[in-house]
Amino acid sequence: MSTATVPQAQFATLAIGATAQRMGITATELHNRLKRHGLVRRLLFDCYDTLHTESIDGVVWNVQEALKNWELKEADEKGGMQ
């Protein structure tokens, strides 16, 4: 298992803060939602090389879309279990 570099951690902090602000929630709430789906690592750290070259608006859009898709998938899976 690899660990995040300092630039990756700084990028993740910026991405989470900007996305949370855009969504009107706290950074802690967003971090917890992303972490529940493994998106801090899989999106912000593993895709760092691609994402950090985008504008902040592009990063925010990617984070919002990924979270929306994973939460919809989770809701669909829970709905099918009833």
Side-chain angles (χ1 to χ4, degrees), residues 6-16 43-44 47-48 51-52 59:
V6 171
Q8 287 172 320
Q10 291 171 333
F11 169 76
T13 301
L14 174 69
I16 290 169
L43 179 64
L44 299 177
C47 297
Y48 169 79
L51 285 177
H52 89 282
V59 172

Side-chain angles (χ1 to χ4, degrees), residues 14-79:
L14 174 69
I16 290 169
T19 304
Q21 184 175 24
R22 180 84 47 92
M23 294 174 69
I25 62 176
T26 67
T28 300
E29 180 183 346
L30 179 60
H31 177 265
N32 291 339
R33 289 169 64 183
L34 292 170
K35 191 173 176 183
R36 182 172 60 240
H37 299 290
L39 293 173
V40 173
R41 180 186 50 80
R42 290 188 302 185
L43 179 64
L44 299 177
F45 293 157
D46 292 352
C47 297
Y48 169 79
D49 288 340
T50 301
L51 285 177
H52 89 282
T53 64
E54 293 188 19
S55 69
I56 193 64
D57 287 333
V59 172
V60 167
W61 183 87
N62 276 287
V63 172
Q64 287 179 304
E65 286 297 303
L67 182 61
K68 178 180 76 174
N69 290 333
W70 279 94
E71 288 182 337
L72 285 173
K73 180 181 175 192
E74 179 183 54
D76 286 346
E77 289 172 355
K78 285 182 180 177

